[in-house]
Amino acid sequence: MAIASSLGTTGLSPPKIHELSSRKTRIDFVIAGAQKSGTTALHAFLSDHPQISMPERKEMHFFNRPAWADFSLPAWRDRKRALYPRNFPNFPDGRWVYGEATPHYMTWNVALDRIQSYNPDVRIIVVLRHPVERAYSHWNREGQRGLVASQFDDAVEHELTKAASNGPLDKVHSFIQRGFYTAQVESIWQRFGKAQTLVLKHRSLLQNHTETMAQVHGFLGVDHRNVPAQTVHGRAYSDTMNDATRERLLNLYAKDVQQLEGLLGWDCSDWKR
């Protein structure tokens, strides 16, 4: 039976990964999303743990490269799989837990299928943020890079117009679409089940940091270590969100937020304002 809390959702207590084998053959966990929801901070916190090995560079994008259309071909796939672990210090020493963070994974079912094929027993961690705030933060980053409209209202209008024409998900112009979490969580559960999945609130990572990190450590089967809270990749906002745009997005997300509350047993009242 799944356990639901204000922090997240997970299954029964897992065995300690570092005791399962003296030699690993696969990576143990993936932080699959959501983008602009604290995954960079979580990557940093876990990288400092003495039992966890993660690549120095966040976002490997190993499973979500569209150009790798032949990912399923055994000869090609096995060659790439042999290269993948080289990014993880100490691999394949079984005394370590190995993981990476690429928040794009949860938005593309093909990536989830590839992860499942790679390791059906992998543990998936997802951090979800207030969808309007997530969209605003996502736009702000891309806007400061000069990749999108300089006004948030214009960027919202552009994406909603494109979505109305059934345009494909764009990794840059997809601030709004990425915030519909219910279907994404369901897709993860369909492939990995609830017991292999930990879903966290971004705000819990900020406001209940020690308790949340203890939950993450327990989920991964490593010893709990106190990790000082810190801001990672904080950015000043180059434009303000007007009240009309915020209300428009709150209404747009309202049904999905309600569905997510039922799915996870969460109280997301703070996401409705």
Side-chain angles (χ1 to χ4, degrees), residues 59-120:
E59 300 194 22
M60 298 299 298
H61 293 284
F62 181 74
F63 297 104
N64 70 321
R65 301 187 186 189
W68 290 3
D70 52 355
F71 194 92
S72 60
L73 297 178
W76 186 94
R77 179 190 63 216
D78 292 345
R79 179 169 62 86
K80 286 296 183 183
R81 284 183 176 181
L83 295 175
Y84 182 50
R86 296 183 184 180
N87 297 284
F88 299 83
N90 305 302
F91 192 88
D93 189 331
R95 292 172 296 180
W96 295 75
V97 176
Y98 301 90
E100 66 127 316
T102 301
H104 296 269
Y105 288 160
M106 71 178 287
T107 65
W108 195 34
N109 286 342
V110 173
L112 297 177
D113 290 337
R114 291 173 175 180
I115 296 171
Q116 183 185 36
S117 174
Y118 169 78
N119 181 4

